[in-house]
Amino acid sequence: MRREDVSLTVNGNEHEISIEPSRLLVHTLRGELGYTGTNIGCESGVCGACTVLMDGKPVKSCTLLTMQADGAEIETVEGLKTNGELHPIQEGFSQEHGLQCGYCTPGMMMTAVDLLKQNPDPTREEIRDGLEGNLCRCTGYQNIVNAVESAAEKMHSGGSHE
Amino acid sequence: MSETAPAGKYFGKTVERKEDPELITGDAGYVDDLEEPGMCHIAILRSQHGHAKINDIDTSRAEEVEGVIDVLTAEDFEAAALPTPGHIPVIWHFTDFEIPEAFWKRVIVGDRARYQGESIAVVIAEDRYTAYNARDQIHVDYEPLDAVVSPFDAMEADAPTLHDEAPDNVVFDWEEGDAEATDEQFEAADHTFSVELPSQRILPTSIETRGALATYSGSSGKLELQMTSQNPHLHRSLLSRVLDYPEHKIQVVAPDVGGGFGSKIYHYADEAITAWLAMYLERPVKWIAPRSEASQTDAHGRGLAQEGELAIDDDGTVRAVRVTGHVDLGAYVSCLLPALPTDEYWGVLSGPYDLNAAHCRIRGVLTNAAPVDAYRGANLTDATHLLERLMKTAATELGIDPVEIRRRNFISADEFPFETVTGMLYDSGDYEPALDRALEMVDYEALRGRQAKLREEGRYLGIGVASFIEMSGLGPSAICGMLGAQSGYWENSTIRVHPSGTVTAFCGTSGHGQGHETTFAQIVADKLGVPYDDVEVVEGDTDQIAHGQGTYASRSGPVGGGAVARGADKVVEKGRKIAAHQLEVQLEDIDFEDGAFAVTGAPDRSMTIQEIAAEAYLGHDLPDEMEPGLEETSFYDPENLTFPFGTHIAVVEIDPATGELEFVRYVGVDDCGEQINPQIVEGQVQGGVAQGIGQARSEAAVYDDRGNIRTATLLDYGLPKTNTVPELELDSTVTPSPHNPIGVKGVGEAGTLAAPPAVVNAVVDALEPFGIDHVNMPVTDEVIWTAIQESETGPGGES
Ligand code: FES
Ligand code: FES
């Protein structure tokens, strides 16, 4: 079977792997590299459960071949917590009950991190539009919007994360 | 009343969820995150046709693919030394009629497929990619047969027959209620109104699809199945029957589970195949459903076509309701299906209203589609929708305000416990305050004024009211048994106080998003007077938890919570005996409060529950004949069902030119009895409303005439999104249930019951000027636009 060498930096850790060219990024992250925090809900780019940041931008990792990420910096949910401290977005989700089963949550949070980077003070409507590509079947979304709002507030008031 | 006053240090409060830390960090372990050494993967080949004869299956090319371990068909399963997995049992029959095995789902078919997605062959490979690639190399020689996908078409004389045992495709013809009394009420009534509601199917669509990882040890004979389960113990017993393998050698574990909504209650072919293969190969085997297969194979919800009539007098007094229904069973009868469109549906068919009579006839009809079973709210949603659509129709026709008509028919607060015409004993209720609160929140009078004003401007506001009753806390066992259940409906909980004084509660429920670890810990912490952080809740493992019935039908709060409370009470009683013995006083002279056993009137003579635990395990100084240890089990069988209720009001505005609907307000007031954790209660209502709005607006599993599912991917299936669910304004009233020790009623399904009629009634209310008195779900913008186009007055409205 043909294999290609790919290098990926995930949450700051460098990985050199040799991979089948057909392997999707999400399967590589989960299967080869053990970042199982990123979930799979549809494998077709619709649900957003597999969202990670690639070179700072949110991507649905089920829509990319691993090779397309060669040389990229990937951030997954496992990288949100730094020095033992939760990211404000993680705190927001927990405090505002923005999750029930938690399956959509990693992807939802990665999208939200980017959303707040682009727009540090979003309206509720902007949050709803910004998260449109992430499906959640449990929460009815309202508490997710609350979670993102509260994270935004926290980050304004000088949290340790940008 | 409840056995204890529930409000406590933790009970009734919002506390941090114990579940969250691992879910927000990616540390959670869902089935697909788990691995076992030597694990292989399977891909299941499924029928591409809705109905086809299978002449031949050629697996030779698939077998040659590098990395493929084996490819098996039904023939290979039958030829193996292990017993062939059998049919999947129906576990709820009718009192006078057992569903024959011929209609039970089959694990793998080799001769004929009756719905798209039915399992035909399975590829086992070293990795998942290889398994799926090889699966595409299997050649099946199908002979397509005529298919039928509507229960009405299936009953036609020339319809294809699915099973010889039911030549007319009708598996059951079920009747309940007093037909004669109902007819009399209809004859005596001033008016009758009717609605027809077709059989919309829903895909449960948990974002995590189903999956399983099976391991087997040839030497010990132990089979372990880690799977997406809402009820591991039930899965263990079903698996034992399907595989003909002893229950004590099977361990079923539900690790973190990413939602279920009913679809993870049932036993399916796939998990049985996975388990069987692990035994066959003596290797760990993993199966994960791709989304498109989940849509084809997970039990769909609803599927009940209803024709309902209401008998009502001039003054708005409802006399009776009468229904004829046809349930689209799909190609087989799924596990619990017989209970749902019949007894469960019937149970709430009179809603929160005091009627004189009711009658219902339901036929169960086979079609070439996936089997249906319970999905959040089960067919209670259909009963609610029917009744609330009828109430709206009657109100409009009689010129009575839709709120007023409900008020006039509500069972009044002093009539509880109330026996309904459907034979249910409603536990407790006070329906008007919930309605009043909703009206107040939405400012109903002003809103009606605004509606009239806007109409003059050619703008169409609609106000939809829905009051409802939910039937929760499934149990008690004896009643379920009388109705045909094949299992118990109690719940089990063991409360273990460790020698150090910390506590583990082992619970037979199996949460998958509902926050049991949190809410059950709140109950235990209060009951035992220990810190919340000192309580751990364990669920979802048949080896750790002796017995259980799982999580569905909003039973975990009332029944599971009841078991937890009872178990904890027993612990306190044992502790009291130890304290009395060691403090040398009579049992009745020991007070227990805040985690301390103290002598009445001498508070300094006391022992903490932690000290008692240490003594209990030390065993040096216990009362005569008392066994050491501090651990108690409760098999709690509830006294009766519980009946949460509420009123939801949707306010929408419709653009007649485009049919576009915009939510203006959504207000809901729920009463689920005592609330263990208000934030979690509200979260459950929010999630339920979103699913209800999904059903009302965009969700439907659609088949074409050949039995091809047209909504297999999330691109084609209209799940609610962040920007299609409006801001919800929710509140609650509290009417404790006397049917369980903690006064709770259950709340998981309330929103799914209330939202569809609230939204549809709002649409109908908005479209009244066009002479439109009904729309079918899902009420998409296109449906609205079409209704306006086809209306008497057309898009210009009244003017
Ligand atoms: S799994 Fe990638 S978008 Fe659904
Ligand atoms: S929390 Fe369950 S899917 Fe979002």
mmCIF file of all heavy atoms in Angstrom, chain A residues 23-24 27 30 41 90 95 100-102 109 124 128-129 132 137-138 141-143, chain B residues 17 24 30 32-33 127 129 204 291 679 683 686-687 691 699 720 722 725 727-728:
data_model
loop_
_atom_site.group_PDB
_atom_site.id
_atom_site.type_symbol
_atom_site.label_atom_id
_atom_site.label_comp_id
_atom_site.label_asym_id
_atom_site.label_seq_id
_atom_site.Cartn_x
_atom_site.Cartn_y
_atom_site.Cartn_z
ATOM 1 N N ARG A 23 -6.190 8.818 3.527
ATOM 2 C CA ARG A 23 -6.679 8.950 4.919
ATOM 3 C C ARG A 23 -7.092 10.386 5.252
ATOM 4 O O ARG A 23 -6.335 11.325 5.043
ATOM 5 C CB ARG A 23 -5.605 8.461 5.896
ATOM 6 C CG ARG A 23 -6.171 8.274 7.301
ATOM 7 C CD ARG A 23 -5.467 7.167 8.048
ATOM 8 N NE ARG A 23 -5.539 5.897 7.349
ATOM 9 C CZ ARG A 23 -6.081 4.789 7.863
ATOM 10 N NH1 ARG A 23 -6.609 4.801 9.056
ATOM 11 N NH2 ARG A 23 -6.085 3.680 7.176
ATOM 12 N N LEU A 24 -8.296 10.516 5.790
ATOM 13 C CA LEU A 24 -8.795 11.839 6.162
ATOM 14 C C LEU A 24 -8.062 12.348 7.398
ATOM 15 O O LEU A 24 -7.643 11.563 8.257
ATOM 16 C CB LEU A 24 -10.302 11.785 6.453
ATOM 17 C CG LEU A 24 -11.200 11.401 5.271
ATOM 18 C CD1 LEU A 24 -12.640 11.217 5.737
ATOM 19 C CD2 LEU A 24 -11.126 12.443 4.163
ATOM 20 N N HIS A 27 -9.308 11.075 10.772
ATOM 21 C CA HIS A 27 -8.934 9.705 11.123
ATOM 22 C C HIS A 27 -7.476 9.632 11.559
ATOM 23 O O HIS A 27 -7.119 8.839 12.418
ATOM 24 C CB HIS A 27 -9.211 8.763 9.953
ATOM 25 C CG HIS A 27 -10.678 8.619 9.665
ATOM 26 N ND1 HIS A 27 -11.182 8.617 8.381
ATOM 27 C CD2 HIS A 27 -11.738 8.515 10.490
ATOM 28 C CE1 HIS A 27 -12.507 8.497 8.442
ATOM 29 N NE2 HIS A 27 -12.865 8.439 9.707
ATOM 30 N N ARG A 30 -7.323 11.115 15.140
ATOM 31 C CA ARG A 30 -7.912 10.224 16.135
ATOM 32 C C ARG A 30 -7.181 8.878 16.200
ATOM 33 O O ARG A 30 -6.791 8.425 17.269
ATOM 34 C CB ARG A 30 -9.386 9.964 15.811
ATOM 35 C CG ARG A 30 -10.283 11.176 15.986
ATOM 36 C CD ARG A 30 -11.705 10.855 15.525
ATOM 37 N NE ARG A 30 -12.140 9.567 16.036
ATOM 38 C CZ ARG A 30 -12.595 9.363 17.265
ATOM 39 N NH1 ARG A 30 -12.724 10.374 18.084
ATOM 40 N NH2 ARG A 30 -12.916 8.141 17.663
ATOM 41 N N GLY A 41 -19.224 12.897 13.437
ATOM 42 C CA GLY A 41 -20.676 12.750 13.472
ATOM 43 C C GLY A 41 -21.296 12.464 12.124
ATOM 44 O O GLY A 41 -22.417 11.972 12.045
ATOM 45 N N GLN A 90 -13.985 26.831 27.516
ATOM 46 C CA GLN A 90 -14.320 25.598 28.251
ATOM 47 C C GLN A 90 -15.089 25.931 29.525
ATOM 48 O O GLN A 90 -16.087 25.293 29.855
ATOM 49 C CB GLN A 90 -13.043 24.820 28.596
ATOM 50 C CG GLN A 90 -12.354 24.232 27.378
ATOM 51 C CD GLN A 90 -11.008 23.617 27.718
ATOM 52 O OE1 GLN A 90 -10.157 24.288 28.317
ATOM 53 N NE2 GLN A 90 -10.801 22.365 27.337
ATOM 54 N N GLN A 95 -20.019 26.236 32.735
ATOM 55 C CA GLN A 95 -20.853 27.057 33.630
ATOM 56 C C GLN A 95 -22.245 27.301 33.079
ATOM 57 O O GLN A 95 -23.214 27.346 33.822
ATOM 58 C CB GLN A 95 -20.161 28.407 33.904
ATOM 59 C CG GLN A 95 -19.065 28.270 34.936
ATOM 60 C CD GLN A 95 -18.071 29.421 34.879
ATOM 61 O OE1 GLN A 95 -18.320 30.450 34.252
ATOM 62 N NE2 GLN A 95 -16.928 29.238 35.525
ATOM 63 N N GLN A 100 -24.618 18.691 26.878
ATOM 64 C CA GLN A 100 -25.288 17.600 27.583
ATOM 65 C C GLN A 100 -24.471 16.328 27.367
ATOM 66 O O GLN A 100 -23.681 15.956 28.224
ATOM 67 C CB GLN A 100 -26.752 17.510 27.141
ATOM 68 C CG GLN A 100 -27.547 18.714 27.700
ATOM 69 C CD GLN A 100 -29.006 18.736 27.317
ATOM 70 O OE1 GLN A 100 -29.594 17.737 26.926
ATOM 71 N NE2 GLN A 100 -29.624 19.904 27.444
ATOM 72 N N CYS A 101 -24.599 15.698 26.190
ATOM 73 C CA CYS A 101 -23.776 14.493 25.983
ATOM 74 C C CYS A 101 -22.329 14.843 25.705
ATOM 75 O O CYS A 101 -21.448 14.009 25.838
ATOM 76 C CB CYS A 101 -24.349 13.636 24.861
ATOM 77 S SG CYS A 101 -24.001 14.250 23.198
ATOM 78 N N GLY A 102 -22.086 16.065 25.257
ATOM 79 C CA GLY A 102 -20.714 16.512 25.034
ATOM 80 C C GLY A 102 -20.103 16.082 23.721
ATOM 81 O O GLY A 102 -18.936 16.377 23.458
ATOM 82 N N MET A 109 -16.611 24.067 20.404
ATOM 83 C CA MET A 109 -15.704 24.985 21.099
ATOM 84 C C MET A 109 -14.611 25.493 20.165
ATOM 85 O O MET A 109 -14.228 26.671 20.244
ATOM 86 C CB MET A 109 -15.087 24.306 22.323
ATOM 87 C CG MET A 109 -16.102 24.031 23.431
ATOM 88 S SD MET A 109 -15.371 23.584 25.030
ATOM 89 C CE MET A 109 -14.414 22.147 24.596
ATOM 90 N N ARG A 124 -25.733 37.972 20.123
ATOM 91 C CA ARG A 124 -26.255 36.599 20.144
ATOM 92 C C ARG A 124 -26.520 36.103 18.728
ATOM 93 O O ARG A 124 -26.298 34.948 18.412
ATOM 94 C CB ARG A 124 -27.515 36.521 21.003
ATOM 95 C CG ARG A 124 -27.253 36.776 22.473
ATOM 96 C CD ARG A 124 -28.511 36.642 23.304
ATOM 97 N NE ARG A 124 -28.981 35.273 23.448
ATOM 98 C CZ ARG A 124 -28.481 34.386 24.321
ATOM 99 N NH1 ARG A 124 -27.479 34.717 25.110
ATOM 100 N NH2 ARG A 124 -28.985 33.174 24.402
ATOM 101 N N ARG A 128 -25.008 32.857 16.866
ATOM 102 C CA ARG A 128 -25.838 31.838 16.218
ATOM 103 C C ARG A 128 -25.407 31.630 14.768
ATOM 104 O O ARG A 128 -25.285 30.495 14.304
ATOM 105 C CB ARG A 128 -27.314 32.216 16.302
ATOM 106 C CG ARG A 128 -27.895 31.988 17.709
ATOM 107 C CD ARG A 128 -29.404 32.188 17.747
ATOM 108 N NE ARG A 128 -29.953 32.019 19.087
ATOM 109 C CZ ARG A 128 -30.427 30.861 19.586
ATOM 110 N NH1 ARG A 128 -30.422 29.772 18.851
ATOM 111 N NH2 ARG A 128 -30.898 30.807 20.821
ATOM 112 N N ASP A 129 -25.154 32.715 14.059
ATOM 113 C CA ASP A 129 -24.722 32.562 12.667
ATOM 114 C C ASP A 129 -23.333 31.940 12.585
ATOM 115 O O ASP A 129 -23.062 31.115 11.716
ATOM 116 C CB ASP A 129 -24.751 33.917 11.943
ATOM 117 C CG ASP A 129 -26.183 34.340 11.627
ATOM 118 O OD1 ASP A 129 -27.074 33.465 11.632
ATOM 119 O OD2 ASP A 129 -26.416 35.542 11.410
ATOM 120 N N GLU A 132 -23.369 28.113 12.960
ATOM 121 C CA GLU A 132 -24.385 27.452 12.142
ATOM 122 C C GLU A 132 -23.899 26.119 11.569
ATOM 123 O O GLU A 132 -24.685 25.209 11.335
ATOM 124 C CB GLU A 132 -24.781 28.412 11.013
ATOM 125 C CG GLU A 132 -25.925 27.941 10.193
ATOM 126 C CD GLU A 132 -25.769 28.372 8.748
ATOM 127 O OE1 GLU A 132 -24.714 28.961 8.396
ATOM 128 O OE2 GLU A 132 -26.669 28.108 7.974
ATOM 129 N N ARG A 137 -27.504 18.054 18.947
ATOM 130 C CA ARG A 137 -28.841 17.489 19.027
ATOM 131 C C ARG A 137 -29.408 17.586 20.445
ATOM 132 O O ARG A 137 -30.587 17.350 20.647
ATOM 133 C CB ARG A 137 -28.772 16.027 18.570
ATOM 134 C CG ARG A 137 -30.104 15.340 18.344
ATOM 135 C CD ARG A 137 -31.014 16.059 17.355
ATOM 136 N NE ARG A 137 -31.993 15.169 16.765
ATOM 137 C CZ ARG A 137 -33.102 15.589 16.138
ATOM 138 N NH1 ARG A 137 -33.347 16.892 16.036
ATOM 139 N NH2 ARG A 137 -33.936 14.731 15.613
ATOM 140 N N CYS A 138 -28.541 17.918 21.414
ATOM 141 C CA CYS A 138 -28.997 17.843 22.811
ATOM 142 C C CYS A 138 -29.487 19.161 23.390
ATOM 143 O O CYS A 138 -30.481 19.203 24.085
ATOM 144 C CB CYS A 138 -27.863 17.374 23.711
ATOM 145 S SG CYS A 138 -27.235 15.734 23.355
ATOM 146 N N TYR A 141 -29.212 24.642 21.673
ATOM 147 C CA TYR A 141 -28.291 25.734 21.311
ATOM 148 C C TYR A 141 -28.263 26.935 22.255
ATOM 149 O O TYR A 141 -27.264 27.637 22.317
ATOM 150 C CB TYR A 141 -28.566 26.249 19.883
ATOM 151 C CG TYR A 141 -28.419 25.191 18.818
ATOM 152 C CD1 TYR A 141 -29.510 24.735 18.095
ATOM 153 C CD2 TYR A 141 -27.173 24.627 18.540
ATOM 154 C CE1 TYR A 141 -29.374 23.765 17.110
ATOM 155 C CE2 TYR A 141 -27.027 23.655 17.561
ATOM 156 C CZ TYR A 141 -28.131 23.224 16.850
ATOM 157 O OH TYR A 141 -27.991 22.270 15.895
ATOM 158 N N GLN A 142 -29.364 27.204 22.954
ATOM 159 C CA GLN A 142 -29.426 28.448 23.719
ATOM 160 C C GLN A 142 -28.276 28.570 24.717
ATOM 161 O O GLN A 142 -27.638 29.603 24.827
ATOM 162 C CB GLN A 142 -30.755 28.499 24.467
ATOM 163 C CG GLN A 142 -31.014 29.834 25.100
ATOM 164 C CD GLN A 142 -32.505 30.155 25.030
ATOM 165 O OE1 GLN A 142 -33.178 29.772 24.081
ATOM 166 N NE2 GLN A 142 -33.010 30.835 26.022
ATOM 167 N N ASN A 143 -28.017 27.473 25.423
ATOM 168 C CA ASN A 143 -26.932 27.528 26.412
ATOM 169 C C ASN A 143 -25.559 27.568 25.753
ATOM 170 O O ASN A 143 -24.580 27.986 26.365
ATOM 171 C CB ASN A 143 -27.028 26.337 27.371
ATOM 172 C CG ASN A 143 -28.187 26.492 28.338
ATOM 173 O OD1 ASN A 143 -28.692 27.596 28.527
ATOM 174 N ND2 ASN A 143 -28.603 25.396 28.947
ATOM 175 N N ARG B 17 -21.693 20.470 36.907
ATOM 176 C CA ARG B 17 -21.895 19.080 36.477
ATOM 177 C C ARG B 17 -20.614 18.262 36.612
ATOM 178 O O ARG B 17 -19.556 18.663 36.160
ATOM 179 C CB ARG B 17 -22.330 19.038 35.001
ATOM 180 C CG ARG B 17 -23.779 19.316 34.766
ATOM 181 C CD ARG B 17 -24.359 18.626 33.546
ATOM 182 N NE ARG B 17 -23.443 18.368 32.432
ATOM 183 C CZ ARG B 17 -23.746 17.580 31.407
ATOM 184 N NH1 ARG B 17 -24.930 16.982 31.356
ATOM 185 N NH2 ARG B 17 -22.899 17.403 30.425
ATOM 186 N N ILE B 24 -15.289 18.419 28.210
ATOM 187 C CA ILE B 24 -14.801 19.669 27.606
ATOM 188 C C ILE B 24 -13.298 19.658 27.333
ATOM 189 O O ILE B 24 -12.778 20.590 26.733
ATOM 190 C CB ILE B 24 -15.158 20.915 28.463
ATOM 191 C CG1 ILE B 24 -14.608 20.778 29.877
ATOM 192 C CG2 ILE B 24 -16.662 21.155 28.494
ATOM 193 C CD1 ILE B 24 -14.790 22.018 30.739
ATOM 194 N N TYR B 30 -15.715 7.898 24.209
ATOM 195 C CA TYR B 30 -16.870 7.351 23.489
ATOM 196 C C TYR B 30 -16.423 6.042 22.833
ATOM 197 O O TYR B 30 -15.228 5.770 22.724
ATOM 198 C CB TYR B 30 -17.366 8.347 22.433
ATOM 199 C CG TYR B 30 -17.809 9.681 23.014
ATOM 200 C CD1 TYR B 30 -16.943 10.772 23.023
ATOM 201 C CD2 TYR B 30 -19.077 9.836 23.557
ATOM 202 C CE1 TYR B 30 -17.340 11.999 23.559
ATOM 203 C CE2 TYR B 30 -19.488 11.051 24.095
ATOM 204 C CZ TYR B 30 -18.612 12.129 24.098
ATOM 205 O OH TYR B 30 -18.999 13.328 24.632
ATOM 206 N N ASP B 32 -16.068 4.925 19.891
ATOM 207 C CA ASP B 32 -15.081 4.943 18.809
ATOM 208 C C ASP B 32 -13.699 5.390 19.286
ATOM 209 O O ASP B 32 -12.717 5.261 18.576
ATOM 210 C CB ASP B 32 -15.571 5.840 17.657
ATOM 211 C CG ASP B 32 -14.799 5.581 16.376
ATOM 212 O OD1 ASP B 32 -14.198 4.487 16.249
ATOM 213 O OD2 ASP B 32 -14.762 6.468 15.510
ATOM 214 N N ASP B 33 -13.625 5.925 20.497
ATOM 215 C CA ASP B 33 -12.321 6.334 21.031
ATOM 216 C C ASP B 33 -11.565 5.146 21.632
ATOM 217 O O ASP B 33 -10.389 5.259 21.969
ATOM 218 C CB ASP B 33 -12.497 7.383 22.138
ATOM 219 C CG ASP B 33 -13.178 8.652 21.641
ATOM 220 O OD1 ASP B 33 -13.252 8.849 20.419
ATOM 221 O OD2 ASP B 33 -13.641 9.443 22.490
ATOM 222 N N ASP B 127 -8.204 -2.811 9.136
ATOM 223 C CA ASP B 127 -8.587 -1.440 9.477
ATOM 224 C C ASP B 127 -9.852 -1.057 8.743
ATOM 225 O O ASP B 127 -10.314 -1.745 7.833
ATOM 226 C CB ASP B 127 -7.440 -0.458 9.228
ATOM 227 C CG ASP B 127 -7.336 -0.084 7.782
ATOM 228 O OD1 ASP B 127 -7.031 -1.005 6.971
ATOM 229 O OD2 ASP B 127 -7.586 1.069 7.428
ATOM 230 N N TYR B 129 -10.754 1.460 6.774
ATOM 231 C CA TYR B 129 -10.728 1.838 5.358
ATOM 232 C C TYR B 129 -10.778 0.587 4.480
ATOM 233 O O TYR B 129 -11.509 0.530 3.506
ATOM 234 C CB TYR B 129 -9.459 2.642 5.037
ATOM 235 C CG TYR B 129 -9.543 4.116 5.357
ATOM 236 C CD1 TYR B 129 -9.883 4.547 6.631
ATOM 237 C CD2 TYR B 129 -9.274 5.079 4.390
ATOM 238 C CE1 TYR B 129 -9.954 5.899 6.932
ATOM 239 C CE2 TYR B 129 -9.337 6.441 4.681
ATOM 240 C CZ TYR B 129 -9.671 6.846 5.952
ATOM 241 O OH TYR B 129 -9.732 8.173 6.254
ATOM 242 N N PRO B 204 -33.856 9.902 14.754
ATOM 243 C CA PRO B 204 -33.419 10.382 16.083
ATOM 244 C C PRO B 204 -32.125 11.196 16.041
ATOM 245 O O PRO B 204 -31.999 12.200 16.729
ATOM 246 C CB PRO B 204 -33.238 9.096 16.874
ATOM 247 C CG PRO B 204 -34.122 8.098 16.191
ATOM 248 C CD PRO B 204 -34.089 8.465 14.732
ATOM 249 N N ARG B 291 -22.847 7.724 9.114
ATOM 250 C CA ARG B 291 -24.107 8.466 9.247
ATOM 251 C C ARG B 291 -25.193 7.965 8.295
ATOM 252 O O ARG B 291 -26.345 7.818 8.674
ATOM 253 C CB ARG B 291 -23.836 9.962 8.999
ATOM 254 C CG ARG B 291 -25.064 10.849 8.982
ATOM 255 C CD ARG B 291 -25.861 10.817 10.276
ATOM 256 N NE ARG B 291 -25.068 11.195 11.429
ATOM 257 C CZ ARG B 291 -25.528 11.115 12.686
ATOM 258 N NH1 ARG B 291 -26.752 10.683 12.939
ATOM 259 N NH2 ARG B 291 -24.741 11.445 13.690
ATOM 260 N N GLN B 679 -30.947 24.038 36.463
ATOM 261 C CA GLN B 679 -30.234 24.294 35.207
ATOM 262 C C GLN B 679 -30.346 23.087 34.270
ATOM 263 O O GLN B 679 -30.523 23.227 33.064
ATOM 264 C CB GLN B 679 -28.754 24.593 35.499
ATOM 265 C CG GLN B 679 -28.007 25.097 34.281
ATOM 266 C CD GLN B 679 -26.525 25.318 34.556
ATOM 267 O OE1 GLN B 679 -25.858 24.466 35.159
ATOM 268 N NE2 GLN B 679 -25.991 26.450 34.128
ATOM 269 N N GLY B 683 -32.190 22.838 30.711
ATOM 270 C CA GLY B 683 -31.449 22.307 29.564
ATOM 271 C C GLY B 683 -32.221 21.203 28.858
ATOM 272 O O GLY B 683 -32.241 21.123 27.631
ATOM 273 N N GLN B 686 -35.031 22.901 26.938
ATOM 274 C CA GLN B 686 -34.507 23.573 25.742
ATOM 275 C C GLN B 686 -34.211 22.571 24.629
ATOM 276 O O GLN B 686 -34.580 22.778 23.472
ATOM 277 C CB GLN B 686 -33.216 24.332 26.083
ATOM 278 C CG GLN B 686 -33.473 25.606 26.886
ATOM 279 C CD GLN B 686 -32.174 26.277 27.320
ATOM 280 O OE1 GLN B 686 -31.083 25.761 27.078
ATOM 281 N NE2 GLN B 686 -32.289 27.424 27.965
ATOM 282 N N GLY B 687 -33.537 21.483 24.996
ATOM 283 C CA GLY B 687 -33.190 20.475 23.992
ATOM 284 C C GLY B 687 -34.439 19.842 23.394
ATOM 285 O O GLY B 687 -34.516 19.599 22.190
ATOM 286 N N GLN B 691 -35.892 19.912 19.452
ATOM 287 C CA GLN B 691 -36.259 18.726 18.664
ATOM 288 C C GLN B 691 -37.713 18.824 18.209
ATOM 289 O O GLN B 691 -38.058 18.400 17.108
ATOM 290 C CB GLN B 691 -36.001 17.454 19.467
ATOM 291 C CG GLN B 691 -34.509 17.269 19.722
ATOM 292 C CD GLN B 691 -34.127 15.861 20.165
ATOM 293 O OE1 GLN B 691 -34.922 14.945 20.154
ATOM 294 N NE2 GLN B 691 -32.880 15.704 20.560
ATOM 295 N N GLU B 699 -37.956 18.421 9.953
ATOM 296 C CA GLU B 699 -37.496 17.034 9.969
ATOM 297 C C GLU B 699 -38.538 16.061 9.427
ATOM 298 O O GLU B 699 -39.677 16.067 9.863
ATOM 299 C CB GLU B 699 -37.163 16.607 11.396
ATOM 300 C CG GLU B 699 -35.947 17.290 11.966
ATOM 301 C CD GLU B 699 -35.604 16.760 13.349
ATOM 302 O OE1 GLU B 699 -35.603 15.535 13.541
ATOM 303 O OE2 GLU B 699 -35.357 17.590 14.235
ATOM 304 N N PRO B 720 -32.465 20.893 13.240
ATOM 305 C CA PRO B 720 -32.423 22.299 13.661
ATOM 306 C C PRO B 720 -30.975 22.760 13.824
ATOM 307 O O PRO B 720 -30.101 21.986 14.223
ATOM 308 C CB PRO B 720 -33.121 22.288 15.025
ATOM 309 C CG PRO B 720 -33.828 20.996 15.117
ATOM 310 C CD PRO B 720 -33.109 20.031 14.228
ATOM 311 N N THR B 722 -28.258 26.268 14.928
ATOM 312 C CA THR B 722 -28.206 27.408 15.859
ATOM 313 C C THR B 722 -29.121 28.541 15.433
ATOM 314 O O THR B 722 -29.738 29.188 16.272
ATOM 315 C CB THR B 722 -26.777 28.011 15.936
ATOM 316 O OG1 THR B 722 -26.192 27.946 14.647
ATOM 317 C CG2 THR B 722 -25.922 27.297 16.935
ATOM 318 N N VAL B 725 -33.335 27.688 15.554
ATOM 319 C CA VAL B 725 -34.040 27.573 16.838
ATOM 320 C C VAL B 725 -34.061 28.957 17.473
ATOM 321 O O VAL B 725 -33.023 29.588 17.606
ATOM 322 C CB VAL B 725 -33.318 26.582 17.780
ATOM 323 C CG1 VAL B 725 -34.058 26.483 19.108
ATOM 324 C CG2 VAL B 725 -33.211 25.212 17.134
ATOM 325 N N GLU B 727 -34.707 32.024 20.390
ATOM 326 C CA GLU B 727 -34.454 32.180 21.826
ATOM 327 C C GLU B 727 -35.693 31.686 22.560
ATOM 328 O O GLU B 727 -36.818 32.053 22.220
ATOM 329 C CB GLU B 727 -34.219 33.654 22.172
ATOM 330 C CG GLU B 727 -32.957 34.252 21.577
ATOM 331 C CD GLU B 727 -31.683 33.792 22.293
ATOM 332 O OE1 GLU B 727 -31.748 33.467 23.496
ATOM 333 O OE2 GLU B 727 -30.621 33.756 21.630
ATOM 334 N N LEU B 728 -35.490 30.843 23.547
ATOM 335 C CA LEU B 728 -36.619 30.283 24.289
ATOM 336 C C LEU B 728 -36.722 30.990 25.635
ATOM 337 O O LEU B 728 -35.712 31.196 26.307
ATOM 338 C CB LEU B 728 -36.415 28.784 24.508
ATOM 339 C CG LEU B 728 -36.014 27.967 23.277
ATOM 340 C CD1 LEU B 728 -35.760 26.517 23.662
ATOM 341 C CD2 LEU B 728 -37.081 28.043 22.202
#
